[in-house]
Amino acid sequence: MNDPQRDLLRHALAAVAYRGRKAITDAPEGFAGFRAGDASRSPEEILAHIGDLFEWALSLVRGAQTWHDSPPLDWPREVTRFFDGLKAFDDALASDQALAAPAERLLQGPVADALTHVGQLTLLRRLAGAPIRGENYYAADMAAGRVGPVQAVPTREW
């Protein structure tokens, strides 16, 4: 199927995977429970929310909108859930099945929200004393369908 809207959505998911992998890989001991303030979410809670976003996105695509506020799992299981959720959503977008939700709404809702939360994880890494390296994301090798934990090596970090 050749659908420019789906292709763009799938590329956006690849960007979430690439940036998300960078934010969650090699996180230091205790990072999952780190809090920037008393009322802030921990990285583990943020990652659980991202998992909920992709389950919601998949339900939107299938035409049966459902939302769950999942309690956080331990960090390794939330990391697995993050990539599994991306893959399930990407697989649905890659299929020939009609989308039950407009692509623009999927982008402005769950996908954009997930990118925002990946940015929060990146900021929390810095606040926790374990910053990730900056990168020219325009030059990064991201591709639709590459939504798992194995990502291209960064081309230009600083």
Side-chain angles (χ1 to χ4, degrees):
M1 169 178 266
N2 185 15
D3 180 342
Q5 288 184 317
R6 283 184 187 223
D7 293 343
L8 186 59
L9 271 175
R10 293 188 68 217
H11 193 84
L13 292 182
V16 172
Y18 185 93
R19 288 172 173 247
R21 183 203 155 290
K22 214 169 166 176
I24 62 181
T25 299
D26 299 326
E29 182 79 27
F31 176 68
F34 177 79
R35 291 188 187 276
D38 293 338
S40 67
R41 284 182 179 164
S42 68
E44 199 168 60
E45 291 168 331
I46 292 169
L47 205 52
H49 177 66
I50 294 171
D52 292 341
L53 285 170
F54 287 121
E55 288 176 4
W56 175 51
L58 193 55
S59 77
L60 290 168
V61 165
R62 293 177 175 163
Q65 181 175 188
T66 57
W67 178 262
H68 301 284
D69 282 315
S70 301
L73 304 169
D74 60 67
W75 186 253
R77 290 192 307 164
E78 281 301 345
V79 169
T80 298
R81 183 174 175 233
F82 170 74
F83 290 113
D84 288 349
L86 278 166
K87 177 152 180 25
F89 186 34
D90 185 70
D91 286 349
L93 293 173
S95 77
D96 289 336
Q97 181 179 351
L99 299 181
E104 298 88 352
R105 298 259 181 188
L106 294 168
L107 179 63
Q108 77 187 32
V111 176
D113 201 17
L115 277 168
T116 297
H117 293 306
V118 166
Q120 290 173 329
L121 291 171
T122 300
L123 176 63
L124 289 173
R125 284 285 297 258
R126 181 168 295 281
L127 292 173
I132 63 169
R133 294 187 67 185
E135 181 174 351
N136 178 344
Y137 289 108
Y138 180 83
D141 179 15
M142 298 179 206
R146 191 183 308 143
V147 294
V150 176
Q151 293 290 320
V153 175
T155 56
R156 185 152 185 232
E157 287 185 313
W158 54 84

